[in-house]
Amino acid sequence: GAVNMPLDQLSVDAVKTTPFERRFNPYDFNGGTTVAIAGDDFVVCAGCTRMSTGYEIQSRNQSKLFALTDQTVLTAAGCMSDVTTLRRMLGARLTQYEHSHAAAMSSSAVAQLLSVTLYYRRFFPYYAFCMIGGLDEEGRGAVYGYDAVGSFKRDDYGCMGSGQNYIMPILDNLIGHKNRLDEKKSFTAEEVVAIVKEIFVIATERDIYTGDSVEIKVIRKSGISTEVFPLKHD
Amino acid sequence: QESGLKIRYPLSHTKTMAFATMDLSFLSDPGVFAKGQHAEDDDARGDLQMARSIDIQSFPLAPVSSPYTFCEDVRKHGNAPGLMDFKHGTTTLGFVFKHGIIIAVDSRASMGSYIGSQTVKKVIEINSFLLGTMAGGAADCSFWERHLARLCRMHELRTKERISVAAASKLLANIFFQYKGQGLSCGTMVAGWDKKGPSLYMVDDSGERFKGERFSVGSGSPFAYGVLDSAYDRNMSVEDAVELGRR
Protein backbone atom coordinates (compact mmCIF):
# COMPACT_ATOMS: atom_id res chain seq x y z
CA GLY A 1 0.00 0.00 0.00
CA ALA A 2 1.93 2.96 1.33
CA VAL A 3 5.29 1.77 -0.01
CA ASN A 4 4.17 2.19 -3.63
CA MET A 5 3.15 5.81 -3.28
CA PRO A 6 5.40 8.55 -4.66
CA LEU A 7 7.61 10.14 -2.04
CA ASP A 8 6.11 13.64 -1.95
CA GLN A 9 2.62 12.32 -1.53
CA LEU A 10 3.74 10.08 1.28
CA SER A 11 4.98 12.99 3.32
CA VAL A 12 1.91 15.14 2.70
CA ASP A 13 -0.36 12.35 3.84
CA ALA A 14 1.78 11.73 6.88
CA VAL A 15 1.45 15.36 7.92
CA LYS A 16 -2.29 15.28 7.49
CA THR A 17 -3.09 11.96 9.13
CA THR A 18 -0.43 11.03 11.68
CA PRO A 19 0.13 13.13 14.77
CA PHE A 20 3.72 14.17 15.36
CA GLU A 21 5.35 16.59 17.73
CA ARG A 22 7.84 19.33 17.17
CA ARG A 23 10.33 19.70 19.95
CA PHE A 24 13.28 21.98 20.44
CA ASN A 25 16.16 19.56 20.31
CA PRO A 26 19.53 21.26 20.39
CA TYR A 27 21.38 18.10 21.32
CA ASP A 28 22.86 15.48 19.08
CA PHE A 29 24.85 12.55 20.31
CA ASN A 30 28.04 12.36 18.28
CA GLY A 31 29.43 9.33 20.03
CA GLY A 32 33.02 8.50 20.75
CA THR A 33 34.94 7.31 23.74
CA THR A 34 37.66 8.99 25.75
CA VAL A 35 40.05 7.58 28.31
CA ALA A 36 42.51 9.26 30.63
CA ILE A 37 45.03 7.51 32.88
CA ALA A 38 47.38 9.19 35.34
CA GLY A 39 50.78 7.86 36.25
CA ASP A 40 53.53 8.91 38.63
CA ASP A 41 54.87 11.64 36.38
CA PHE A 42 52.75 11.47 33.25
CA VAL A 43 49.16 11.41 32.06
CA VAL A 44 47.89 9.54 29.01
CA CYS A 45 44.75 10.93 27.38
CA ALA A 46 43.12 9.17 24.47
CA GLY A 47 40.01 9.60 22.38
CA CYS A 48 38.72 7.86 19.31
CA THR A 49 38.35 10.04 16.25
CA ARG A 50 34.99 8.89 15.00
CA MET A 51 32.13 11.37 14.94
CA SER A 52 28.69 9.96 14.21
CA THR A 53 25.04 10.89 14.29
CA GLY A 54 22.33 8.28 14.48
CA TYR A 55 23.72 5.37 12.48
CA GLU A 56 25.86 7.46 10.17
CA ILE A 57 29.48 8.44 10.43
CA GLN A 58 30.09 12.14 9.90
CA SER A 59 33.84 12.11 10.23
CA ARG A 60 36.56 9.53 10.73
CA ASN A 61 39.04 12.16 11.78
CA GLN A 62 37.51 14.42 14.42
CA SER A 63 39.73 14.93 17.44
CA LYS A 64 38.34 14.90 20.96
CA LEU A 65 41.52 15.93 22.73
CA PHE A 66 42.43 19.58 23.19
CA ALA A 67 45.62 20.84 24.75
CA LEU A 68 44.62 23.78 26.92
CA THR A 69 48.11 24.52 28.19
CA ASP A 70 51.29 22.56 27.64
CA GLN A 71 50.57 20.55 30.78
CA THR A 72 46.81 20.13 30.56
CA VAL A 73 44.59 18.35 28.09
CA LEU A 74 40.82 18.45 27.89
CA THR A 75 39.09 15.35 26.56
CA ALA A 76 35.43 15.72 25.75
CA ALA A 77 32.90 13.36 24.17
CA GLY A 78 29.23 14.04 23.52
CA CYS A 79 27.96 16.67 21.16
CA MET A 80 30.79 18.20 19.14
CA SER A 81 29.17 21.60 18.77
CA ASP A 82 28.83 21.97 22.53
CA VAL A 83 32.37 20.72 22.99
CA THR A 84 33.71 23.29 20.55
CA THR A 85 31.93 26.14 22.31
CA LEU A 86 33.08 24.90 25.69
CA ARG A 87 36.63 24.85 24.43
CA ARG A 88 36.35 28.41 23.21
CA MET A 89 34.92 29.57 26.55
CA LEU A 90 37.77 27.91 28.40
CA GLY A 91 40.32 29.20 25.93
CA ALA A 92 39.17 32.76 26.43
CA ARG A 93 39.43 32.53 30.21
CA LEU A 94 42.82 30.84 29.99
CA THR A 95 44.17 33.54 27.72
CA GLN A 96 42.93 36.25 30.08
CA TYR A 97 44.55 34.46 32.98
CA GLU A 98 47.85 34.18 31.15
CA HIS A 99 47.85 37.85 30.27
CA SER A 100 47.15 38.99 33.79
CA HIS A 101 49.29 36.45 35.67
CA ALA A 102 52.15 36.05 33.19
CA ALA A 103 51.96 32.29 33.70
CA ALA A 104 49.84 29.42 32.46
CA MET A 105 47.00 28.17 34.64
CA SER A 106 47.76 25.14 36.77
CA SER A 107 45.83 21.90 36.14
CA SER A 108 43.86 22.07 39.37
CA ALA A 109 42.81 25.64 38.60
CA VAL A 110 41.74 24.62 35.09
CA ALA A 111 39.75 21.77 36.63
CA GLN A 112 37.88 24.16 38.91
CA LEU A 113 37.34 26.60 36.05
CA LEU A 114 35.79 23.90 33.91
CA SER A 115 33.50 22.87 36.76
CA VAL A 116 32.20 26.40 37.17
CA THR A 117 31.89 26.92 33.41
CA LEU A 118 29.79 23.79 33.14
CA TYR A 119 27.64 24.74 36.12
CA TYR A 120 26.84 28.18 34.67
CA ARG A 121 24.78 26.21 32.18
CA ARG A 122 22.98 24.20 34.86
CA PHE A 123 19.56 24.73 33.30
CA PHE A 124 20.63 24.24 29.68
CA PRO A 125 23.66 22.02 29.95
CA TYR A 126 26.55 21.56 27.60
CA TYR A 127 26.26 18.10 26.16
CA ALA A 128 29.86 17.30 26.90
CA PHE A 129 31.35 14.59 29.05
CA CYS A 130 34.71 15.98 29.93
CA MET A 131 37.87 14.91 31.60
CA ILE A 132 40.94 16.95 32.31
CA GLY A 133 44.35 15.33 32.35
CA GLY A 134 47.31 17.24 33.68
CA LEU A 135 50.28 17.31 36.00
CA ASP A 136 49.67 18.70 39.45
CA GLU A 137 51.96 21.05 41.37
CA GLU A 138 54.21 18.18 42.45
CA GLY A 139 54.49 16.82 38.94
CA ARG A 140 52.28 13.79 39.57
CA GLY A 141 49.64 12.87 37.04
CA ALA A 142 46.05 13.89 37.76
CA VAL A 143 42.82 13.06 36.01
CA TYR A 144 39.61 14.96 36.79
CA GLY A 145 36.29 13.47 35.66
CA TYR A 146 33.12 15.52 35.21
CA ASP A 147 29.44 14.96 34.80
CA ALA A 148 27.48 17.16 32.42
CA VAL A 149 26.94 20.00 34.91
CA GLY A 150 30.36 20.24 36.44
CA SER A 151 30.55 17.92 39.42
CA PHE A 152 34.16 16.80 39.42
CA LYS A 153 36.62 14.76 41.34
CA ARG A 154 40.27 13.94 41.02
CA ASP A 155 40.99 10.35 40.09
CA ASP A 156 43.75 8.12 38.82
CA TYR A 157 41.89 7.17 35.69
CA GLY A 158 38.62 7.80 33.95
CA CYS A 159 36.67 7.03 30.86
CA MET A 160 33.70 8.77 29.26
CA GLY A 161 31.53 8.41 26.21
CA SER A 162 29.67 5.68 24.41
CA GLY A 163 32.21 2.97 25.23
CA GLN A 164 32.32 3.82 28.92
CA ASN A 165 30.42 0.76 30.09
CA TYR A 166 32.73 -1.56 28.18
CA ILE A 167 35.99 0.06 29.17
CA MET A 168 35.52 1.14 32.78
CA PRO A 169 35.54 -2.38 34.26
CA ILE A 170 38.84 -3.09 32.49
CA LEU A 171 40.36 0.11 33.82
CA ASP A 172 39.09 -0.65 37.31
CA ASN A 173 40.81 -4.01 37.21
CA LEU A 174 44.07 -3.15 35.42
CA ILE A 175 44.81 0.38 36.55
CA GLY A 176 42.73 0.62 39.71
CA HIS A 177 43.86 -2.84 40.74
CA LYS A 178 40.38 -3.69 41.96
CA ASN A 179 39.45 -7.29 42.66
CA ARG A 180 42.94 -8.54 41.97
CA LEU A 181 45.11 -10.68 44.17
CA ASP A 182 48.54 -9.97 42.69
CA GLU A 183 50.71 -7.09 43.74
CA LYS A 184 49.95 -3.66 42.39
CA LYS A 185 52.56 -2.38 40.02
CA SER A 186 53.01 1.09 38.65
CA PHE A 187 53.09 1.41 34.89
CA THR A 188 55.41 3.40 32.69
CA ALA A 189 54.03 5.70 30.06
CA GLU A 190 54.81 3.25 27.25
CA GLU A 191 53.00 0.43 29.04
CA VAL A 192 49.95 2.62 29.58
CA VAL A 193 49.90 3.63 25.92
CA ALA A 194 49.97 -0.04 24.93
CA ILE A 195 47.11 -0.78 27.35
CA VAL A 196 45.10 2.13 25.94
CA LYS A 197 45.53 0.87 22.37
CA GLU A 198 44.29 -2.57 23.37
CA ILE A 199 41.38 -1.09 25.25
CA PHE A 200 40.23 0.87 22.22
CA VAL A 201 40.52 -2.21 20.02
CA ILE A 202 38.29 -4.03 22.53
CA ALA A 203 35.76 -1.21 22.66
CA THR A 204 35.67 -0.92 18.86
CA GLU A 205 34.64 -4.56 18.71
CA ARG A 206 31.31 -3.95 20.44
CA ASP A 207 30.52 -0.25 20.32
CA ILE A 208 29.36 1.15 17.00
CA TYR A 209 30.35 4.70 17.89
CA THR A 210 33.97 3.84 18.59
CA GLY A 211 36.50 3.15 15.87
CA ASP A 212 38.44 4.60 12.92
CA SER A 213 41.47 5.62 14.96
CA VAL A 214 42.49 6.65 18.44
CA GLU A 215 44.45 9.78 19.16
CA ILE A 216 46.73 9.40 22.19
CA LYS A 217 48.39 12.32 23.94
CA VAL A 218 51.01 11.80 26.63
CA ILE A 219 51.62 14.70 28.98
CA ARG A 220 54.99 14.82 30.61
CA LYS A 221 56.90 17.60 32.29
CA SER A 222 58.70 18.19 29.02
CA GLY A 223 55.48 18.68 27.08
CA ILE A 224 52.76 16.84 25.20
CA SER A 225 53.41 14.18 22.55
CA THR A 226 50.72 12.90 20.21
CA GLU A 227 50.24 9.58 18.47
CA VAL A 228 47.47 8.24 16.25
CA PHE A 229 46.75 4.52 16.19
CA PRO A 230 44.39 3.09 13.55
CA LEU A 231 41.31 1.09 14.51
CA LYS A 232 38.69 -0.81 12.57
CA HIS A 233 36.58 1.26 10.22
CA ASP A 234 33.35 -0.75 10.47
CA GLN B 1 7.69 38.26 38.85
CA GLU B 2 5.31 35.55 39.99
CA SER B 3 6.69 34.06 43.14
CA GLY B 4 3.55 32.49 44.53
CA LEU B 5 3.98 34.33 47.84
CA LYS B 6 0.96 35.81 49.54
CA ILE B 7 1.88 38.83 51.63
CA ARG B 8 -0.73 40.17 54.00
CA TYR B 9 -0.24 43.76 55.09
CA PRO B 10 -1.38 44.79 58.56
CA LEU B 11 -4.17 47.32 58.46
CA SER B 12 -3.21 49.50 61.41
CA HIS B 13 -2.05 52.95 60.44
CA THR B 14 1.03 53.01 62.57
CA LYS B 15 2.33 49.87 60.93
CA THR B 16 1.60 51.30 57.51
CA MET B 17 3.70 54.34 58.37
CA ALA B 18 6.56 52.08 59.32
CA PHE B 19 6.19 50.16 56.06
CA ALA B 20 6.47 53.33 54.05
CA THR B 21 10.06 53.74 55.17
CA MET B 22 11.08 50.12 54.76
CA ASP B 23 12.83 48.81 51.72
CA LEU B 24 10.34 46.42 50.21
CA SER B 25 12.31 45.58 47.11
CA PHE B 26 12.63 42.02 48.35
CA LEU B 27 9.00 41.44 47.39
CA SER B 28 9.84 41.60 43.74
CA ASP B 29 13.31 40.12 43.95
CA PRO B 30 13.63 37.37 46.56
CA GLY B 31 17.21 36.93 45.46
CA VAL B 32 18.19 39.88 47.62
CA PHE B 33 18.40 37.64 50.66
CA ALA B 34 20.57 35.18 48.89
CA LYS B 35 23.21 37.65 47.90
CA GLY B 36 23.96 39.74 50.94
CA GLN B 37 23.90 43.53 51.04
CA HIS B 38 27.12 44.14 49.23
CA ALA B 39 26.67 41.91 46.25
CA GLU B 40 27.42 44.62 43.67
CA ASP B 41 30.74 45.42 45.31
CA ASP B 42 31.68 41.77 45.36
CA ASP B 43 31.06 41.24 41.70
CA ALA B 44 32.86 44.27 40.37
CA ARG B 45 36.45 43.29 39.89
CA GLY B 46 37.68 46.42 38.22
CA ASP B 47 39.20 45.83 34.83
CA LEU B 48 38.72 42.10 35.07
CA GLN B 49 34.98 42.31 35.53
CA MET B 50 34.16 39.50 33.24
CA ALA B 51 32.89 36.74 35.50
CA ARG B 52 29.14 36.82 35.51
CA SER B 53 27.52 37.35 38.86
CA ILE B 54 25.72 34.37 40.34
CA ASP B 55 22.33 35.79 39.61
CA ILE B 56 19.18 34.02 38.67
CA GLN B 57 18.99 36.02 35.47
CA SER B 58 22.51 35.01 34.55
CA PHE B 59 21.87 31.31 34.18
CA PRO B 60 21.03 30.86 30.51
CA LEU B 61 17.74 29.11 29.98
CA ALA B 62 16.74 27.06 26.99
CA PRO B 63 14.54 28.95 24.49
CA VAL B 64 11.51 26.74 24.99
CA SER B 65 8.05 27.47 26.32
CA SER B 66 8.77 25.92 29.71
CA PRO B 67 12.46 26.46 30.40
CA TYR B 68 12.39 25.30 34.00
CA THR B 69 11.35 21.79 33.05
CA PHE B 70 13.74 21.58 30.12
CA CYS B 71 16.11 19.15 31.80
CA GLU B 72 13.31 16.83 32.81
CA ASP B 73 11.77 16.94 29.34
CA VAL B 74 15.07 16.11 27.67
CA ARG B 75 15.59 13.23 30.05
CA LYS B 76 12.14 11.82 29.35
CA HIS B 77 12.45 11.97 25.57
CA GLY B 78 15.85 10.43 25.38
CA ASN B 79 17.18 12.74 22.69
CA ALA B 80 20.40 13.17 24.57
CA PRO B 81 21.30 9.85 26.14
CA GLY B 82 23.15 10.17 29.39
CA LEU B 83 23.15 13.96 29.48
CA MET B 84 20.69 14.50 32.29
CA ASP B 85 22.04 11.70 34.47
CA PHE B 86 23.79 14.02 36.84
CA LYS B 87 25.91 12.64 39.60
CA HIS B 88 23.91 12.04 42.77
CA GLY B 89 25.22 11.43 46.22
CA THR B 90 23.36 8.94 48.39
CA THR B 91 23.44 8.87 52.19
CA THR B 92 24.71 11.34 54.74
CA LEU B 93 24.01 11.76 58.41
CA GLY B 94 24.96 14.09 61.21
CA PHE B 95 24.26 14.46 64.88
CA VAL B 96 25.16 16.83 67.68
CA PHE B 97 26.51 15.47 70.96
CA LYS B 98 28.25 16.86 74.00
CA HIS B 99 31.67 17.23 72.43
CA GLY B 100 30.61 18.52 69.03
CA ILE B 101 29.12 17.27 65.82
CA ILE B 102 29.69 14.01 63.97
CA ILE B 103 29.14 13.96 60.23
CA ALA B 104 29.18 10.58 58.53
CA VAL B 105 28.86 10.09 54.77
CA ASP B 106 29.16 7.20 52.38
CA SER B 107 31.30 7.58 49.30
CA ARG B 108 29.27 6.27 46.41
CA ALA B 109 27.83 8.43 43.65
CA SER B 110 25.39 7.26 41.03
CA MET B 111 24.81 8.63 37.54
CA GLY B 112 21.51 7.15 36.47
CA SER B 113 21.98 3.43 36.90
CA TYR B 114 25.74 3.67 36.61
CA ILE B 115 27.90 3.97 39.69
CA GLY B 116 29.77 7.14 38.88
CA SER B 117 32.33 6.78 41.58
CA GLN B 118 33.08 4.86 44.74
CA THR B 119 35.29 7.50 46.27
CA VAL B 120 33.34 10.73 46.29
CA LYS B 121 34.07 13.44 48.82
CA LYS B 122 30.70 14.33 50.21
CA VAL B 123 31.80 16.57 53.02
CA ILE B 124 32.59 20.03 51.76
CA GLU B 125 34.69 22.33 53.91
CA ILE B 126 33.03 25.70 53.73
CA ASN B 127 35.65 27.14 56.03
CA SER B 128 37.71 25.90 58.93
CA PHE B 129 34.76 25.70 61.32
CA LEU B 130 31.82 25.07 58.96
CA LEU B 131 31.11 21.87 57.09
CA GLY B 132 28.52 21.12 54.46
CA THR B 133 27.44 17.72 53.23
CA MET B 134 26.39 16.61 49.80
CA ALA B 135 23.27 14.56 49.17
CA GLY B 136 21.30 14.88 45.96
CA GLY B 137 22.94 16.49 42.97
CA ALA B 138 26.69 16.54 43.37
CA ALA B 139 27.29 19.56 41.13
CA ASP B 140 24.50 21.55 42.80
CA CYS B 141 25.82 20.86 46.28
CA SER B 142 29.46 21.54 45.55
CA PHE B 143 28.81 24.68 43.50
CA TRP B 144 26.45 26.35 45.96
CA GLU B 145 28.47 25.38 49.00
CA ARG B 146 31.55 26.83 47.37
CA HIS B 147 29.55 29.98 46.71
CA LEU B 148 28.47 29.94 50.35
CA ALA B 149 32.12 29.74 51.37
CA ARG B 150 32.74 32.93 49.39
CA LEU B 151 29.80 34.71 51.05
CA CYS B 152 30.95 33.57 54.48
CA ARG B 153 34.44 34.85 53.84
CA MET B 154 33.12 38.21 52.68
CA HIS B 155 31.04 38.41 55.84
CA GLU B 156 34.10 37.67 57.95
CA LEU B 157 36.15 40.33 56.21
CA ARG B 158 33.46 42.96 56.54
CA THR B 159 32.39 42.37 60.11
CA LYS B 160 35.72 41.07 61.47
CA GLU B 161 33.77 38.25 63.04
CA ARG B 162 33.08 34.68 62.03
CA ILE B 163 29.67 34.11 60.54
CA SER B 164 27.19 32.18 62.67
CA VAL B 165 25.98 28.79 61.51
CA ALA B 166 22.42 30.09 61.54
CA ALA B 167 23.32 32.91 59.16
CA ALA B 168 25.32 30.67 56.85
CA SER B 169 22.52 28.11 56.62
CA LYS B 170 20.00 30.91 56.07
CA LEU B 171 22.01 32.25 53.13
CA LEU B 172 22.07 28.80 51.58
CA ALA B 173 18.36 28.27 52.19
CA ASN B 174 17.54 31.59 50.53
CA ILE B 175 19.58 30.65 47.49
CA PHE B 176 17.69 27.40 47.13
CA PHE B 177 14.39 29.16 47.58
CA GLN B 178 15.31 31.47 44.73
CA TYR B 179 15.78 28.50 42.42
CA LYS B 180 12.83 26.58 43.74
CA GLY B 181 11.05 24.54 41.09
CA GLN B 182 13.90 24.70 38.59
CA GLY B 183 15.25 21.25 39.16
CA LEU B 184 18.04 21.71 41.66
CA SER B 185 18.38 18.71 43.89
CA CYS B 186 20.16 19.15 47.20
CA GLY B 187 19.71 17.91 50.72
CA THR B 188 22.55 19.36 52.64
CA MET B 189 23.49 19.71 56.26
CA VAL B 190 25.38 22.75 57.48
CA ALA B 191 27.26 22.04 60.66
CA GLY B 192 29.62 24.15 62.66
CA TRP B 193 30.72 25.86 65.82
CA ASP B 194 29.91 29.44 66.58
CA LYS B 195 29.37 31.53 69.71
CA LYS B 196 26.34 29.44 70.64
CA GLY B 197 28.25 26.20 70.48
CA PRO B 198 27.76 23.40 67.96
CA SER B 199 24.79 23.74 65.60
CA LEU B 200 23.42 21.51 62.89
CA TYR B 201 21.01 22.70 60.23
CA MET B 202 19.40 20.74 57.44
CA VAL B 203 18.83 22.75 54.28
CA ASP B 204 16.69 21.43 51.48
CA ASP B 205 16.50 22.28 47.80
CA SER B 206 13.01 23.69 48.36
CA GLY B 207 14.44 26.29 50.73
CA GLU B 208 13.43 24.48 53.91
CA ARG B 209 15.77 24.91 56.80
CA PHE B 210 15.59 23.07 60.11
CA LYS B 211 17.78 23.25 63.14
CA GLY B 212 18.16 19.94 64.88
CA GLU B 213 20.19 17.43 66.81
CA ARG B 214 20.07 14.48 64.42
CA PHE B 215 19.64 14.39 60.67
CA SER B 216 20.05 11.91 57.91
CA VAL B 217 19.63 12.78 54.26
CA GLY B 218 19.56 10.64 51.18
CA SER B 219 18.22 7.38 49.93
CA GLY B 220 19.59 5.37 52.84
CA SER B 221 18.27 7.79 55.42
CA PRO B 222 15.36 5.74 56.81
CA PHE B 223 17.78 2.99 57.73
CA ALA B 224 20.29 5.44 59.11
CA TYR B 225 17.63 7.02 61.33
CA GLY B 226 16.82 3.63 62.79
CA VAL B 227 20.38 2.97 63.87
CA LEU B 228 20.91 6.53 65.03
CA ASP B 229 17.79 6.80 67.12
CA SER B 230 18.39 3.54 68.89
CA ALA B 231 21.92 4.28 70.07
CA TYR B 232 22.06 8.07 70.34
CA ASP B 233 23.01 9.59 73.68
CA ARG B 234 23.92 13.22 74.00
CA ASN B 235 26.63 12.53 76.57
CA MET B 236 28.53 9.84 74.77
CA SER B 237 32.25 9.99 74.30
CA VAL B 238 33.98 10.91 71.07
CA GLU B 239 34.93 7.29 70.33
CA ASP B 240 31.38 6.07 70.83
CA ALA B 241 30.04 8.82 68.65
CA VAL B 242 32.48 8.01 65.86
CA GLU B 243 31.55 4.34 66.15
CA LEU B 244 27.85 5.22 65.91
CA GLY B 245 28.45 7.27 62.82
CA ARG B 246 30.41 4.43 61.28
CA ARG B 247 27.63 1.94 61.96
Side-chain angles (χ1 to χ4, degrees), chain B residues 127-167:
Chain B
N127 59 36
S128 57
F129 63 97
L130 267 181
L131 286 181
T133 63
M134 173 204 297
D140 297 329
C141 289
S142 48
F143 181 87
W144 289 115
E145 285 180 18
R146 190 163 176 267
H147 182 233
L148 180 65
R150 180 169 159 258
L151 294 176
C152 292
R153 180 68 181 143
M154 294 309 292
H155 180 276
E156 214 175 290
L157 289 170
R158 280 201 192 94
T159 61
K160 294 199 179 125
E161 193 176 71
R162 293 192 327 201
I163 191 171
S164 65
V165 187

Side-chain angles (χ1 to χ4, degrees), chain B:
Chain B
Q1 185 179 350
E2 332 95 48
S3 59
L5 291 170
K6 286 204 166 38
I7 318 285
R8 281 180 206 83
Y9 301 106
L11 293 177
S12 79
H13 290 291
T14 48
K15 288 267 180 66
T16 318
M17 287 295 289
F19 267 47
T21 57
M22 269 175 62
D23 173 19
L24 292 178
S25 59
F26 67 89
L27 292 174
S28 52
D29 176 23
V32 164
F33 294 132
K35 279 184 264 186
Q37 306 165 314
H38 306 272
E40 293 90 39
D41 304 334
D42 286 348
D43 288 331
R45 284 189 203 101
D47 295 334
L48 292 179
Q49 185 186 356
M50 44 78 51
R52 292 164 292 223
S53 59
I54 319 280
D55 215 352
I56 191 169
Q57 291 84 13
S58 301
F59 277 93
L61 297 175
V64 288
S65 49
S66 70
Y68 300 139
T69 58
F70 179 71
C71 287
E72 264 316 296
D73 294 339
V74 171
R75 185 209 302 266
K76 272 186 230 149
H77 284 88
N79 288 325
L83 172 59
M84 300 301 177
D85 287 333
F86 305 144
K87 221 186 235 187
H88 272 73
T90 45
T91 312
T92 61
L93 71 87
F95 57 90
V96 184
F97 71 116
K98 187 171 68 174
H99 297 285
I101 306 180
I102 294 277
I103 302 272
V105 300
D106 75 336
S107 63
R108 176 176 286 189
S110 57
M111 287 168 74
S113 64
Y114 176 76
I115 293 179
S117 176
Q118 299 271 42
T119 53
V120 180
K121 239 186 95 180
K122 288 192 193 163
V123 178
I124 295 154
E125 286 128 35
I126 297 170
N127 59 36
S128 57
F129 63 97
L130 267 181
L131 286 181
T133 63
M134 173 204 297
D140 297 329
C141 289
S142 48
F143 181 87
W144 289 115
E145 285 180 18
R146 190 163 176 267
H147 182 233
L148 180 65
R150 180 169 159 258
L151 294 176
C152 292
R153 180 68 181 143
M154 294 309 292
H155 180 276
E156 214 175 290
L157 289 170
R158 280 201 192 94
T159 61
K160 294 199 179 125
E161 193 176 71
R162 293 192 327 201
I163 191 171
S164 65
V165 187
S169 57
K170 190 74 167 183
L171 279 170
L172 192 61
N174 286 335
I175 292 170
F176 287 138
F177 180 76
Q178 206 185 349
Y179 291 96
K180 189 170 173 152
Q182 295 192 37
L184 293 189
S185 155
C186 250
T188 163
M189 291 187 286
V190 179
W193 273 92
D194 55 13
K195 283 186 221 156
K196 297 197 181 125
S199 314
L200 180 65
Y201 286 83
M202 217 271 283
V203 178
D204 207 346
D205 54 43
S206 50
E208 287 184 347
R209 170 178 162 265
F210 302 110
K211 182 173 165 136
E213 303 260 304
R214 286 167 282 175
F215 286 114
S216 174
V217 190
S219 47
S221 60
F223 313 107
Y225 273 129
V227 174
L228 193 51
D229 288 342
S230 61
Y232 174 76
D233 175 17
R234 193 158 218 277
N235 296 321
M236 57 188 162
S237 69
V238 175
E239 294 81 21
D240 289 343
V242 170
E243 179 55 29
L244 178 59
R246 199 191 59 78
R247 266 173 42 206

Side-chain angles (χ1 to χ4, degrees), chain A:
Chain A
V3 175
N4 295 327
M5 283 169 65
L7 204 57
D8 46 355
Q9 249 199 337
L10 241 183
S11 58
V12 165
D13 276 5
V15 166
K16 277 196 216 149
T17 59
T18 13
F20 66 99
E21 63 180 335
R22 294 191 193 284
R23 176 170 303 278
F24 175 64
N25 183 22
Y27 297 125
D28 186 26
F29 184 56
N30 291 134
T33 309
T34 56
V35 166
I37 299 174
D40 291 331
D41 57 354
F42 64 90
V43 181
V44 173
C45 297
C48 81
T49 58
R50 174 176 289 181
M51 177 171 149
S52 21
T53 174
Y55 287 115
E56 300 164 6
I57 294 179
Q58 289 175 325
S59 168
R60 295 194 190 275
N61 196 15
Q62 168 66 43
S63 166
K64 293 180 179 63
L65 308 181
F66 313 104
L68 297 173
T69 68
D70 66 350
Q71 304 269 268
T72 317
V73 166
L74 167 73
T75 76
C79 175
M80 273 299 137
S81 54
D82 273 356
V83 165
T84 308
T85 309
L86 183 62
R87 236 187 85 219
R88 285 169 53 210
M89 291 288 184
L90 285 178
R93 284 299 305 268
L94 281 162
T95 311
Q96 276 176 319
Y97 183 97
E98 280 177 25
H99 285 315
S100 57
H101 291 79
M105 231 171 162
S106 65
S107 297
S108 49
V110 176
Q112 183 67 58
L113 173 66
L114 177 58
S115 170
V116 173
T117 307
L118 289 169
Y119 197 84
Y120 278 145
R121 291 278 297 255
R122 169 66 175 79
F123 302 115
F124 185 13
Y126 285 113
Y127 194 1
F129 300 110
C130 310
M131 284 191 294
I132 295 243
L135 299 176
D136 67 8
E137 279 82 10
E138 294 153 24
R140 299 181 52 88
V143 166
Y144 300 87
Y146 294 78
D147 73 350
V149 279
S151 156
F152 78 110
K153 192 180 148 283
R154 180 175 170 172
D155 267 324
D156 290 326
Y157 57 92
C159 129
M160 297 274 169
S162 53
Q164 182 181 34
N165 292 343
Y166 306 114
I167 294 182
M168 203 53 167
I170 303 176
L171 288 178
D172 280 334
N173 185 271
L174 277 182
I175 313 287
H177 206 258
K178 299 237 172 92
N179 302 308
R180 285 181 84 103
L181 297 172
D182 56 350
E183 205 179 300
K184 181 170 175 143
K185 60 171 276 209
S186 62
F187 297 101
T188 64
E190 291 73 25
E191 283 169 340
V192 172
V193 169
I195 289 173
V196 162
K197 287 175 183 169
E198 273 197 50
I199 281 175
F200 271 88
V201 168
I202 292 168
T204 307
E205 217 42 54
R206 292 287 183 178
D207 181 29
I208 56 172
Y209 298 111
T210 305
D212 291 330
S213 62
V214 53
E215 186 189 359
I216 305 175
K217 282 193 193 292
V218 184
I219 307 167
R220 294 187 183 84
K221 195 144 164 261
S222 49
I224 302 179
S225 63
T226 310
E227 182 188 341
V228 176
F229 178 70
L231 297 170
K232 287 210 291 191
H233 280 223
D234 66 354

